[in-house]
Amino acid sequence: MAKVVAGLQYSEEHEWVAREDGNVVSVGISAVATDALGDIVYVDLPEVGSTVTAGETCGEVESTKSVSDLYSPVTGEVTELNTTAVDDPAVINSDPYGSGWLFKVAAVSDGPLLSAEEYAAKNGGEL
Amino acid sequence: MSKHTALYGTHEALGASFTDFGGWQMPLKYTSELAEHHAVRQAAGLFDLSHMGEVWVTGPDAGAFLDYALVGKLSAVVDGKAKYSLICNPDGGIIDDLITYRFGAEKYLVVPNAGNAPTVAAELAKRAEGFDVVVEDASDATSLIAVQGPNAEAILLKLTGDSQHELVTGLKYYAFNEVTVAGHDVIVARTGYTGEDGFELFLPNEEAAALWASITEAGAGLGLIPCGLACRDSLRLEAGMPLYGNELSLEGNPFAAGFGQVVALSKEGDFVGKEALAALKASGAGSTSGRRLVGLKGLGRRAARGHYPVLKDGAVIGEVTSGQPSPTLGYPVALAYVDVEHSAIGTALEADLRGKAEPFEVVALPFYKRAK
């Protein structure tokens, strides 16, 4: 699997952002992050309807070996959660850019985001 | 500069992720640490443990010397059996925990932990003064491969001649034999750090890669996969086994760690740490005073990790030493030192998980026990 997927934007904290319809974005964590975390066993996501702020923690991702905070890459209202990933966090490892997405936000603004090329260059990842 | 075991190239070829452990570059995992964990519980796992030390103690005074150098009575171990023990400093602090194998009255093998092996070897050499023994650190020439899990015995039997099967099947827990496995003369011990049945195999470095390959082939149809240190840690935690540096340390003592029974205060003669350990025991360390090591079960989903504070009614009464979500049990487990008055089974405590108190309960160890 490619560690960094082209066409997405990335935060320094290893979240990826995909543009959906209108101002809605879906958010997940990159394969760079899932590789470092190991097998994810628990994910705590923001609630639907809550407001997340770019650069601030909005949840956490726990693996067998460690736990790390989840940072929102954008500011806006959470519109949807990936309940599949909550119920079976293994999909975050197996398909971090697909069925392992985490939540969607109606974004009013973005935090600092990197292009796939920039993110790959910073993290030694392959596109 | 981290050291490499004789199997480093094998691990690289298998695509392992590496981690530094005790000064060694060791496989953390090959694929998924959860898959590796479950393989050991359900089938079998293959581990490179060559970072562990091997120190030979030979000579007429071998038994008496080990009785002096370690806290247990090693002279009383039967030939062909192993014993868990501790090496303490004069203050009763734990230098290391180790397994000692008795080959005969004049020949023992001491196996310390990786990062402590040079210290233990040097300390044994120092303590040997006045005893008619030779202490030889063979760590750099010796490999250690473990096959752990319910299918471990069947895998080893595929690699041993019929006439030697009894040497494997007849082994009790903590016993060992010299066995020819896949053509290699190996010390096979029924020991492990996983809570499952299994074996640990000692052999010269030059033969390690060939034996690893033979075991991999023999285990292919029996669910055996290579396993890294990540699952070794989760397996030992479920089995309630201590890790030096987490549960055991120079600052701790055997009574607080729950290992009072391995301290043979009544054995003949002096041993290093005796006076301090006798005083600690008399003071009620780990039973009526200080802290003791307990198992904690998380009632929520979030896990406590090493160094997180343990609370009772908001006040800090202990500290977590190891903790993570248990892959087998499905809830968080942790080992923690807590004040003895809060150490009874069933006590409701909390762990401070990054600023939020979550409920935990003191439970009996081990967390996981295999069905016999």
Side-chain angles (χ1 to χ4, degrees):
Chain A
M1 185 192 357
K3 276 200 166 184
V4 179
V5 168
L8 302 177
Q9 291 176 288
Y10 296 83
S11 69
E12 295 270 3
E13 292 86 13
H14 307 289
E15 284 78 27
W16 55 257
V17 175
R19 304 285 156 186
E20 309 263 338
D21 298 333
N23 64 341
V24 173
V25 300
S26 56
V27 175
I29 59 173
S30 77
V32 174
T34 58
D35 279 7
L37 280 166
D39 290 322
I40 296 164
V41 293
Y42 171 60
V43 58
D44 181 32
L45 298 178
E47 284 173 29
V48 170
S50 67
T51 300
V52 291
T53 306
E56 292 190 0
T57 63
C58 63
E60 67 182 17
V61 181
E62 181 143 29
S63 69
T64 52
K65 298 309 296 174
S66 66
V67 59
S68 54
D69 285 324
L70 189 62
Y71 293 85
S72 182
V74 297
T75 296
E77 186 182 316
V78 177
T79 59
E80 190 181 344
L81 302 184
N82 181 1
T83 52
T84 306
V86 173
D87 293 341
D88 178 20
V91 302
I92 305 168
N93 287 102
S94 60
D95 192 11
Y97 297 108
S99 52
W101 66 276
L102 297 178
F103 58 93
K104 293 187 184 183
V105 180
V108 294
S109 65
D110 294 349
L113 295 175
L114 306 171
S115 70
E117 291 73 16
E118 289 166 337
Y119 180 72
K122 274 201 171 217
N123 293 283
E126 311 134 32
L127 269 178
Chain B
M1 185 63 195
S2 292
K3 293 163 84 172
H4 290 177
T5 74
L7 289 163
Y8 185 81
T10 302
H11 306 317
E12 272 195 316
L14 286 166
S17 322
F18 289 89
T19 186
D20 185 275
F21 186 80
W24 294 78
Q25 276 293 300
M26 297 301 295
L28 179 66
K29 59 179 177 173
Y30 297 85
T31 53
S32 141
E33 66 268 24
L34 276 179
E36 292 167 20
H37 182 108
H38 294 312
V40 173
R41 289 274 177 258
Q42 292 157 15
L46 180 60
F47 295 84
D48 177 14
L49 307 179
S50 303
H51 57 317
M52 303 285 283
E54 291 85 11
V55 183
W56 290 94
V57 175
T58 53
D61 290 345
F65 161 66
L66 288 170
D67 286 352
Y68 168 73
L70 309 182
V71 302
K73 190 171 181 184
L74 287 307
S75 63
V77 176
V78 177
D79 290 357
K81 293 276 193 184
K83 190 177 176 71
Y84 178 83
S85 194
L86 303 169
I87 180 169
C88 285
N89 66 17
D91 300 329
I94 302 166
I95 296 173
D96 202 9
D97 65 333
L98 23 77
I99 296 178
T100 301
Y101 302 78
R102 175 163 154 151
F103 289 74
E106 300 191 6
K107 186 180 179 188
Y108 291 79
L109 173 64
V110 178
V111 176
N113 286 298
N116 292 329
T119 309
V120 170
E123 194 59 43
L124 289 177
K126 201 170 95 187
R127 294 179 186 186
E129 198 181 324
F131 289 95
D132 189 0
V133 291
V134 175
V135 175
E136 184 208 350
D137 184 359
S139 303
D140 286 343
T142 310
S143 289
L144 176 57
I145 292 172
V147 187
Q148 299 280 307
N151 292 346
E153 185 180 274
I155 292 164
L156 275 198
L157 291 179
K158 285 176 73 174
L159 298 170
T160 31
D162 290 348
S163 64
Q164 295 216 318
H165 279 188
E166 174 67 26
L167 293 179
V168 175
T169 58
L171 278 182
K172 296 259 194 330
Y173 190 49
Y174 266 66
F176 66 96
N177 273 318
E178 291 171 87
V179 185
T180 305
V181 180
H184 306 278
D185 293 332
V186 175
I187 300 162
V188 176
R190 198 163 213 150
T191 46
Y193 194 52
T194 60
E196 293 302 324
D197 185 23
F199 301 88
E200 296 183 311
L201 288 65
F202 297 88
L203 78 169
N205 284 349
E206 304 76 53
E207 301 176 50
L211 180 63
W212 178 281
S214 296
I215 295 172
T216 300
E217 199 183 322
L222 290 162
L224 174 120
I225 58 171
C227 291
L229 293 189
C231 80
R232 184 168 159 82
D233 192 38
S234 51
L235 289 160
R236 70 93 193 168
L237 177 60
E238 286 183 346
M241 295 171 168
L243 172 63
Y244 192 86
N246 289 27
E247 284 74 37
L248 308 176
S249 70
L250 283 173
E251 292 71 39
N253 70 73
F255 304 103
F259 287 112
Q261 80 284 0
V262 311
V263 182
L265 283 171
S266 61
K267 67 183 172 183
E268 276 174 46
D270 193 18
F271 66 92
V272 179
K274 181 178 183 177
E275 201 178 318
L277 290 166
L280 277 165
K281 187 178 184 186
S283 77
S287 58
T288 57
S289 74
R291 286 180 173 176
R292 68 172 288 127
L293 190 68
V294 298
L296 296 179
K297 172 184 176 175
L299 305 181
R301 284 182 72 174
R302 300 170 79 217
R305 307 280 176 173
H307 305 299
Y308 285 10
V310 180
L311 314 173
K312 177 71 181 177
D313 303 326
V316 176
I317 54 94
E319 183 176 301
V320 174
T321 50
S322 298
Q324 67 172 82
S326 161
T328 307
L329 302 169
Y331 51 77
V333 295
L335 292 170
Y337 278 100
V338 301
D339 292 345
V340 290
E341 56 266 39
H342 301 297
S343 65
I345 309 275
T347 305
L349 299 173
E350 293 176 319
D352 180 347
L353 306 191
R354 301 176 296 287
K356 188 157 181 275
E358 294 272 0
F360 280 75
E361 181 187 328
V362 178
V363 295
L365 292 172
F367 300 106
Y368 165 85
K369 200 166 189 188
R370 73 176 186 270
K372 292 272 165 85

